Amino acid sequence: MFHTGLRSGTAVQAADESAPDSELYFQRCRWCHTTTFQRLLCPTCGSTDLAPELSGGEGVISVRRGVAAADNDLWPVHMTEGFVVRCRVDGPPHAVRPGVRVKVSGAAASGRRPVVRLCEEVPLDGWY
């Protein structure tokens, strides 16, 4: 059985959360232990022996470069396990920027891209 991507989790919720937690699966190469997301081959050694693993779901927003207009709402997120996944970020526009910690919160309406929420409040920094 091969799992990658998001799968809805249980409906266990914290008091301040409105959406159920979700599970994010990534792949780890059994040969060189490189982590990746939704690939057929290991990006390091080219092996096809990739094992699915459950991510902790936490990461940090990274810098975007060369963003097409169609992908303007997607941000690269470096997950703690070492792989990068492009996500939709649920949060106020002033707070969505590189260096902000995020956690997986669900799947997008299309079911293709993970949705992450901010782990901390980000101040306006004097800009309105």
Side-chain angles (χ1 to χ4, degrees), residues 25-103:
Y25 284 88
F26 66 98
Q27 300 154 296
R28 185 178 306 273
C29 177
R30 289 189 172 134
W31 290 92
C32 70
H33 305 289
T34 298
T35 57
T36 189
F37 185 71
Q38 293 185 342
R39 298 277 182 113
L40 295 175
L41 301 173
C42 173
T44 302
C45 72
S47 171
T48 59
D49 196 5
L50 302 173
E53 289 188 24
L54 180 61
S55 170
E58 293 185 4
V60 176
I61 297 176
S62 184
V63 176
R64 293 191 299 185
R65 291 190 172 90
V67 178
D71 293 336
N72 196 31
D73 61 342
L74 297 177
W75 286 83
V77 175
H78 285 264
M79 304 304 284
T80 56
E81 292 85 4
F83 65 97
V84 177
V85 60
R86 291 176 14 160
C87 302
R88 299 192 191 294
V89 181
D90 181 20
H94 77 274
V96 180
R97 57 184 178 209
V100 175
R101 291 179 337 132
V102 293
K103 183 163 180 67

